[in-house]
Amino acid sequence: MNVLLDNFPEFRDGFIGTVSITAVSSVIALVLGVVIAGMRVSPVPPLRFFGTAWVTLLRNTPLTLLFLIFFFVVPQVFFSGLSPFVLGSLALGFYTSSFVCEAVRSGINTVPLGQAEAARSIGMSFPQTLRLVVLPQATRSVIPPLSSIFIALTKNSAIAGAFSVAELFGWQKLMSDRGYSITPVFIWVALGYLVVTFVISGLFRLLERRMEVAR
C-alpha cells in the first residue's frame, strides 16, 4: 500500500492518462472503423479496394511498429510538433479501427439484403441506406465484439508508456527506476487496468440490454 500512498499523484496522473488515451483512441477507432466498413461494402470499386487495403495493412502490422512509424516518421513527413499523447492516440486509434471495421462489416452482413433493396427502390442513395437503414439494424449484433475490441485497446495502450505518454505503464517504469519492488507496483497497475476494463464491460452490457429491449 505504501508504494501507492507515497506516489499517489503520479499514479493518479498515470491512471488519468490511460483513461484519456483509451477514450480518445476509441473515438478515432470507432469513427474510422465505421467509415472504412462503409467503404468495404460500397458499390464503388476504388472505395472497396481502399477499405480492404486499410484493414489488411493495419491488421497485419505489429502495433509497436505502428507506434514507431507515428512517433518517428509521421512528424518528419507530415506533421511536426504533435504531442506524444496525440501521436499515441492516433497510432492506437488507427490500429484498432481495422478491427472495428471488420466487426461493423460483419454486423452489416447480418442485415437482410432486402432491407437495402427496399431502400434503393424508394430512391435512397447508398450513404442514406447505410446510415438510416443498415447501420441501425447492424448495431445490435456489433455491440458484443466491439466490447472485446475496446477492452483490448485499453490493454494495448500500455505500449504508449514506452513512448513518453503518461499512463499506467509509464508509472510502473517510474516506480521501478525509484527502486520499488516490482510485485506491488504491477499489482496496482493491474488493478488500474481492471477498473478501466470493468467500466467498459459494464457500459457495453448496459448498452446491449437497452438494444435488446428496443428490439
Side-chain angles (χ1 to χ4, degrees):
M1 181 65 73
N2 290 338
V3 66
L4 177 66
L5 297 178
D6 294 343
N7 303 277
F8 185 76
E10 291 88 346
F11 179 85
R12 178 197 59 208
D13 293 342
F15 182 80
I16 293 175
T18 294
V19 173
S20 300
I21 193 171
T22 298
V24 173
S25 56
S26 294
V27 173
I28 295 172
L30 185 60
V31 173
L32 281 177
V34 172
V35 172
I36 299 300
M39 291 182 179
R40 293 211 65 185
V41 298
S42 169
V44 182
L47 292 181
R48 289 202 306 271
F49 175 80
F50 179 84
T52 301
W54 179 282
V55 171
T56 302
L57 179 63
L58 290 177
R59 290 188 72 178
N60 293 284
T61 300
L63 182 54
T64 303
L65 177 59
L66 199 61
F67 266 88
L68 290 171
I69 293 172
F70 269 86
F71 274 80
F72 298 106
V73 177
V74 170
Q76 297 183 9
V77 178
F78 299 102
F79 304 102
S80 60
L82 295 178
S83 67
F85 177 83
V86 173
L87 292 171
S89 298
L90 290 173
L92 195 56
F94 275 47
Y95 176 78
T96 310
S97 70
S98 62
F99 296 92
V100 173
C101 168
E102 290 301 274
V104 173
R105 186 171 70 93
S106 298
I108 290 174
N109 290 335
T110 64
V111 179
L113 184 60
Q115 297 285 327
E117 292 176 346
R120 286 195 297 268
S121 69
I122 61 174
M124 295 179 68
S125 65
F126 174 76
Q128 289 175 323
T129 301
L130 191 64
R131 179 171 57 89
L132 299 176
V133 178
V134 177
L135 284 179
Q137 298 182 67
T139 301
R140 299 187 183 102
S141 59
V142 168
I143 291 175
L146 284 184
S147 175
S148 300
I149 290 171
F150 287 128
I151 288 174
L153 181 151
T154 303
K155 293 181 285 188
N156 287 337
S157 68
I159 297 178
F163 292 87
S164 303
V165 179
E167 52 83 58
L168 283 172
F169 191 78
W171 180 77
Q172 172 269 324
K173 185 176 183 300
L174 176 64
M175 294 301 101
S176 298
D177 293 341
R178 290 181 178 179
Y180 285 96
S181 175
I182 197 67
T183 301
V185 171
F186 271 124
I187 289 175
W188 286 114
V189 170
L191 287 175
Y193 281 112
L194 280 174
V195 169
V196 180
T197 55
F198 280 156
V199 170
I200 293 174
S201 297
L203 290 175
F204 273 92
R205 280 198 300 269
L206 178 62
L207 184 59
E208 190 173 357
R209 291 195 192 101
R210 291 178 65 89
M211 295 300 294
E212 286 176 352
V213 173
R215 181 183 298 180

